Amino acid sequence: MQTITSTEELRTTVKNWKRDGLRVGFVPTMGYLHEGHLSLMKQAKKAGDKVICSIFVNPTQFNDKKDFEAYPIDLKRDAALLESVGVDLLFAPNVSEIYGTPGTAQSWVTVEELSKPWEGAHRPGHFRGVTTVVSILFNLVSPDFAVFGEKDFQQLRLIEQMVTDLKFDVEIIRGALIREPDGLAMSSRNVRLSPEARTAALAISRGLFRARAKFQSGERSRQALVDTVRSELSDSELVKIEYIDLAAEDTLEVSDQLSRPARLLVAAFVGGVRLIDNVAIGD
Ligand code: AMP
């Protein structure tokens, strides 16, 4: 596997691949990779001929400076993991490669409505940073397709909308949310959980699974499903809920119509670490 930090070298490599008629897949990440990320790489490997993974801890999407500074980094370990699943190229740029000389960039990409609720309401500026960096990366990499995980469901919907609106010539492929054997959604932030918080965090997936089971056995009240998750999470003092709600898959608006595809979404701080999770609900 090649590791590249410069845009010029990246562009030349991709141009050569495309000239040879190869289909190029792309998986953007912030590194500290786990099986959830690797499942996206494997999916990309199946859908294309060459796979590029980027690792870039994007400063503009962190609304909380402490969260940015605490974000785990281990490029050497990540490179070995990527190699083990057959990724062809790791793009690991520094901040100036993406944003130019500090203080000079003036352009942002914003997806208006989809960025307002949920994560957008709790993390001001977060999605503007995400959609801007993904646009820049799409322009640098020029992939034929890109894979995004359903773990960050709202982010995935924003990217789909952005690609449609701005006519990016990139196919967006959804990757399933991957969990630890005990149910916890895999996340790079999980390493920051203390043993007690790690146990308390299980209430999130337990609550979501219980609510989904209720839906499957006929419950059709949004409030009842939300309360099911809330009651699991309310038991622990370590857990501070940010939001629990049911949102339509397409618009992300609060949904009482359980006949349409929806997502039960949760965000909570557990022992000071912010975690998000979701399950699909709908007939
Ligand atoms: P991140 O490194 O957290 O920015 O995530 C990079 C990509 O991996 C995004 O498309 C995420 O949605 C995806 N991802 C993160 N965690 C998981 C997971 N547990 N299952 C599936 N995809 C994931």
Side-chain angles (χ1 to χ4, degrees):
M1 185 185 70
Q2 268 177 287
T3 299
I4 288 181
T5 55
S6 98
T7 296
E8 222 179 283
E9 209 182 333
L10 172 73
R11 283 201 160 127
T12 310
T13 307
V14 175
K15 218 177 260 171
N16 288 339
W17 285 344
K18 289 199 166 174
R19 196 197 48 215
D20 293 342
L22 301 175
R23 184 168 148 82
V24 178
F26 177 45
V27 186
T29 79
M30 297 205 299
Y32 215 77
L33 304 174
H34 50 65
E35 281 298 325
H37 295 113
L38 298 183
S39 75
L40 307 184
M41 311 295 162
K42 290 176 197 165
Q43 204 174 336
K45 199 73 198 164
K46 278 198 193 124
D49 302 304
K50 294 285 185 185
V51 176
I52 299 175
C53 167
S54 65
I55 294 183
F56 179 63
V57 184
N58 175 33
T60 66
Q61 74 186 68
F62 285 85
N63 53 309
D64 176 354
K65 199 165 170 254
K66 278 201 206 113
D67 188 27
F68 175 61
E69 282 161 2
Y71 206 83
I73 297 176
D74 191 342
L75 208 58
K76 228 169 126 185
R77 172 181 162 278
D78 286 348
L81 287 171
L82 292 172
E83 184 124 44
S84 76
V85 292
V87 167
D88 300 279
L89 193 160
L90 165 60
F91 180 50
N94 61 26
V95 175
S96 61
E97 197 73 25
I98 298 296
Y99 291 111
T101 309
T104 58
Q106 299 189 31
S107 306
W108 295 98
V109 177
T110 309
V111 176
E112 298 275 334
E113 296 307 318
L114 288 179
S115 69
K116 283 181 185 160
W118 319 122
E119 290 300 283
H122 289 272
R123 304 183 66 188
H126 166 66
F127 280 131
R128 183 179 85 150
V130 169
T131 40
T132 300
V133 80
V134 170
S135 300
I136 295 170
L137 289 167
F138 280 179
N139 283 332
L140 298 181
V141 177
S142 311
D144 295 300
F145 68 93
V147 187
F148 287 84
E150 292 188 348
K151 157 82 175 11
D152 301 273
F153 191 77
Q154 187 175 9
Q155 167 177 287
L156 167 67
R157 285 291 303 115
L158 260 96
I159 301 293
E160 289 173 339
Q161 185 74 39
M162 177 186 88
V163 162
T164 301
D165 293 345
L166 301 183
K167 316 281 189 273
F168 277 100
D169 193 12
V170 180
E171 181 195 347
I172 303 300
I173 297 179
R174 294 181 173 197
L177 192 165
I178 305 297
R179 299 178 179 282
E180 299 287 355
D182 60 9
L184 182 68
M186 288 191 180
S187 165
S188 306
R189 289 189 173 85
N190 290 352
V191 293
R192 286 164 50 196
L193 294 166
S194 67
E196 299 74 36
R198 173 73 181 66
T199 303
L202 287 175
I204 299 175
S205 51
R206 204 165 51 232
L208 288 171
F209 296 162
R210 270 193 61 204
R212 185 174 57 191
K214 280 196 177 173
F215 173 81
Q216 283 162 351
S217 49
E219 180 59 73
R220 288 296 178 272
S221 151
R222 167 183 147 245
Q223 199 55 54
L225 297 177
V226 169
D227 288 346
T228 299
V229 185
R230 193 176 297 280
S231 70
E232 282 289 338
L233 286 171
S234 305
D235 285 347
S236 170
E237 284 200 344
L238 287 174
V239 179
K240 302 260 172 300
I241 299 166
E242 280 209 328
Y243 61 80
I244 305 171
D245 220 325
L246 193 69
E249 282 222 354
D250 48 0
T251 62
L252 296 178
E253 284 166 2
V254 172
S255 174
D256 285 306
Q257 278 190 306
L258 298 186
S259 55
R260 288 177 52 203
R263 289 272 157 170
L264 196 45
L265 306 168
V266 175
F269 279 95
V270 183
V273 181
R274 193 171 185 282
L275 301 177
I276 58 171
D277 198 347
N278 72 84
V279 293
I281 299 276
D283 293 319

